[in-house]
């Protein structure tokens, strides 16, 4: 594997050829797609389009074979024990809704506790809330320290309450914090908890080995990993997937249906009701093959270089209130300008074709704790360039000057 070449990497993404004036720093929301992913989607719809698992004709059989090969590609990428442990969903949010519904109807009982953290995305909060009050299940939250890290001492105290489930993000989408996940999950397992990981941001930062990581479930979305939107993965150890009540019914998730009752299919079909995103699964497989051609450590080193340059430049801009940490960070800088609303700053950056996110980043409880209306988020990817960092800093300084006049 050759040394990572950021310029060569960027050339694989047609967006940057067709929209050369844009500096795209909203990568935590979604990443751009390399040509191989786009080509795979076009190829399926132009040449191979057919439904899967239900046709005897050659086109259906070919589509089924490609769809199941995509599943095996995901399995190998995260080192799942078998393809049946890979359940395709529409994304991380859908995976959490399946987990909340499925566990609430089989494992969780009134008085049980679920432990999440103050850093969680709404997808790891709201699905639990939809069921917890009705079923008498209690949600506990790991608080933050004064430097906006998870309070590990408080975590140990909360584990003493014997939560039935511990569900944690791998990387905070709002602040970029990389959690000490392996240790936290090990502690949770020692306390007897079922462990769940939100890997939506983490999947592009650190490729998981789910047979080594003490996680019973791991969820991620393709579009954060240079793949298509509308497709994601719910990984689960077979024994735990078997205990989930399916959220959706119909289609190929059944083995037998009568008006008096139905019998569910085996995994993974029992959790994949209806026609799946067939082209999306193949696009995800192509994205995995694409990113696997580069050394992940070198990519993260390059992102750290961008991060360092950005942080250094921020020191020369007055009024910066930095929320994210420079250390143990996956490439996200979250900040505010003293006295200014983040949306106003983002609007000025937009005028210079700099795409950043302003708001609460689907983490409203976090920003309530921080007593902030939201923040500006700059999220770096390996196709970003040092020259873009410099341009962004100059535009940010200009925006501050305009707003503070």
């Amino acid at each position: 594997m050759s040394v990572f070449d950021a310029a060569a990497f960027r050339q694989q993404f047609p967006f940057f050829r067709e929209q050369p004036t844009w500096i795209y720093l909203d990568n935590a929301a979604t990443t751009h797609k390399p040509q191989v992913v786009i080509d795979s989607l076009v190829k399926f719809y132009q040449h191979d389009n057919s439904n899967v698992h239900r046709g005897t004709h050659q086109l259906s059989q070919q589509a089924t074979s490609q769809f199941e090969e995509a599943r095996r590609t995901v399995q190998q990428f995260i080192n799942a024990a078998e393809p049946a442990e890979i359940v395709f969903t529409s994304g991380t949010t859908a995976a959490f809704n399946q987990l909340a519904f499925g566990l609430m109807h089989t494992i969780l009982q009134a008085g049980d506790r679920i432990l999440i953290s103050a850093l969680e995305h709404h997808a790891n909060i709201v699905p639990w809330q939809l069921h917890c009050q009705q079923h008498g299940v209690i949600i506990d939250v790991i608080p933050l320290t004064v430097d906006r890290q998870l309070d590990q001492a408080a975590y140990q105290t909360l584990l003493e309450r014997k939560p039935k489930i511990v569900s944690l993000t791998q990387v905070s989408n709002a602040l970029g914090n990389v959690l000490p996940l392996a240790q936290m999950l090990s502690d949770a397992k020692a306390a007897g908890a079922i462990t769940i990981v939100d890997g939506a941001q983490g999947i592009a930062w650190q490729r998981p080995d789910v047979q080594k990581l003490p996680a019973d479930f791991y969820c991620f979305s393709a579009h954060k990993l240079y793949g298509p939107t509308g497709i994601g993965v719910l990984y689960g150890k077979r024994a735990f997937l078997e205990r989930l009540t399916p959220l959706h019914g119909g289609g190929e998730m059944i083995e037998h249906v009568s008006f008096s009752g139905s019998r569910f299919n085996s995994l993974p079909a029992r959790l994949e009701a209806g026609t799946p995103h067939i082209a999306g699964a193949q696009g995800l497989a192509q994205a995995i093959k694409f990113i696997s051609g580069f050394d992940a450590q070198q990519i993260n080193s390059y992102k750290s270089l961008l991060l360092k340059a950005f942080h250094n430049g921020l020191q020369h801009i007055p009024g910066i209130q930095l929320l994210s940490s420079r250390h143990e960070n996956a490439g996200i800088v979250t900040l505010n300008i003293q006295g200014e609303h983040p949306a106003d700053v983002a609007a000025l950056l937009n005028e210079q074709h700099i795409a950043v996110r302003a708001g609460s980043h689907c983490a409203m409880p976090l920003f309530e704790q921080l007593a902030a209306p939201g923040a500006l988020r700059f999220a770096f990817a390996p196709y970003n360039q040092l020259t873009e960092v410099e341009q962004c800093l100059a535009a940010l300084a200009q925006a501050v000057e305009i707003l503070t006049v």
Side-chain angles (χ1 to χ4, degrees):
M1 194 173 290
S2 58
V3 175
F4 178 70
D5 184 334
F9 184 89
R10 183 183 174 93
Q11 289 175 4
Q12 305 303 312
F13 294 80
F15 172 85
F16 298 109
R17 295 195 302 271
E18 298 178 9
Q19 302 281 355
T21 63
W22 274 99
I23 296 174
Y24 186 81
L25 296 174
D26 196 19
N27 295 291
T30 194
T31 55
H32 285 289
K33 321 306 170 194
Q35 189 67 56
V36 290
V37 170
I38 297 169
D39 289 345
S40 75
L41 299 174
V42 173
K43 177 181 180 297
F44 176 76
Y45 288 123
Q46 284 189 345
H47 301 288
D48 303 320
N49 183 59
S50 189
N51 216 324
V52 295
H53 297 145
R54 60 196 70 181
T56 57
H57 56 83
Q58 181 180 340
L59 286 174
S60 178
Q61 292 177 1
Q62 181 174 306
T64 299
S65 176
Q66 293 169 345
F67 183 71
E68 292 304 327
E69 181 59 33
R71 194 189 307 276
R72 286 189 289 273
T73 298
V74 177
Q75 174 213 350
Q76 293 164 7
F77 183 65
I78 65 174
N79 195 31
E82 55 176 317
E85 293 184 333
I86 303 301
V87 176
F88 286 121
T89 70
S90 64
T92 307
T93 299
F96 271 103
N97 277 272
Q98 170 61 81
L99 286 170
F101 180 87
L103 293 169
M104 203 68 68
H105 287 74
T106 57
I107 292 174
L108 290 165
Q109 300 176 356
D112 285 342
R113 311 185 87 94
I114 296 171
L115 181 55
I116 61 176
S117 84
L119 295 173
E120 301 307 319
H121 187 281
H122 295 166
N124 196 17
I125 302 173
V126 180
W128 303 115
Q129 291 176 335
L130 286 173
H131 304 283
C132 282
Q133 186 172 4
Q134 178 183 355
H135 293 276
V137 176
I138 303 161
I139 300 176
D140 292 320
V141 181
I142 308 165
L144 299 180
T145 61
V146 292
D147 58 351
R148 295 176 290 279
Q149 302 295 316
L150 285 188
D151 188 330
Q152 295 298 324
Y155 176 53
Q156 295 301 321
T157 299
L158 289 166
L159 286 178
E160 293 175 4
R161 298 180 180 179
K162 298 297 179 183
K164 190 66 71 72
I165 292 171
V166 173
S167 187
L168 300 171
T169 187
Q170 184 177 5
V171 170
S172 167
N173 77 299
L175 301 181
N177 301 29
V178 179
L179 271 63
L181 199 61
Q183 184 60 56
M184 293 186 74
L185 294 178
S186 293
D187 292 344
K189 295 303 292 182
I194 295 169
T195 52
I196 302 172
V197 176
D198 175 357
Q201 297 296 328
I203 191 69
W205 173 252
Q206 185 177 48
R207 174 177 173 175
D209 183 336
V210 294
Q211 292 195 59
K212 293 182 179 178
L213 189 69
D216 299 313
F217 297 102
Y218 184 99
C219 315
F220 70 94
S221 302
H223 71 101
K224 310 282 191 178
L225 191 68
Y226 317 106
T229 56
I231 183 77
V233 170
L234 166 58
Y235 157 80
K237 290 182 170 61
R238 173 180 278 276
F240 290 95
L241 287 175
E242 294 280 12
R243 299 180 71 181
L244 294 180
T245 301
L247 174 60
H248 300 290
E252 295 300 306
M253 60 79 66
I254 52 85
E255 183 180 87
H256 178 77
V257 174
S258 71
F259 287 115
S260 61
S262 300
R263 186 170 62 248
F264 296 151
N265 209 335
S266 59
L267 289 171
R270 69 188 296 271
L271 298 175
E272 292 182 347
T275 297
H277 190 356
I278 306 166
Q282 295 180 43
L284 169 57
Q286 287 300 321
I288 285 173
K289 292 174 183 177
F290 167 76
I291 199 63
S292 296
F294 301 90
D295 184 275
Q297 186 173 352
Q298 291 183 17
I299 284 179
N300 287 343
S301 294
Y302 177 72
K303 287 174 67 176
S304 295
L305 180 68
L306 298 175
L307 202 63
K308 181 179 179 181
F310 192 65
H311 275 292
N312 289 343
L314 288 175
Q315 296 178 20
H316 305 290
I317 301 175
I320 295 289
Q321 297 175 325
L322 196 61
L323 299 178
S324 55
S325 172
R326 296 186 62 159
H327 307 290
E328 296 300 322
N329 187 292
I332 295 173
V333 180
T334 308
L335 57 85
N336 275 317
I337 307 298
Q338 187 173 5
E340 306 299 334
H341 196 282
D344 295 333
V345 185
L348 290 173
L349 295 178
N350 177 68
E351 291 178 1
Q352 299 195 45
H353 280 196
I354 299 173
V356 300
R357 175 99 178 255
S360 57
H361 313 294
C362 295
M364 287 184 181
L366 169 63
F367 283 95
E368 286 179 5
Q369 289 192 31
L370 298 178
L376 284 167
R377 184 180 68 186
F378 302 78
F380 296 93
Y383 43 58
N384 291 125
Q385 302 171 304
L386 280 170
T387 53
E388 291 182 318
V389 172
E390 295 166 1
Q391 289 175 263
C392 184
L393 287 166
L396 188 58
Q398 185 180 23
V400 170
E401 186 176 339
I402 292 170
L403 290 167
T404 55
V405 167

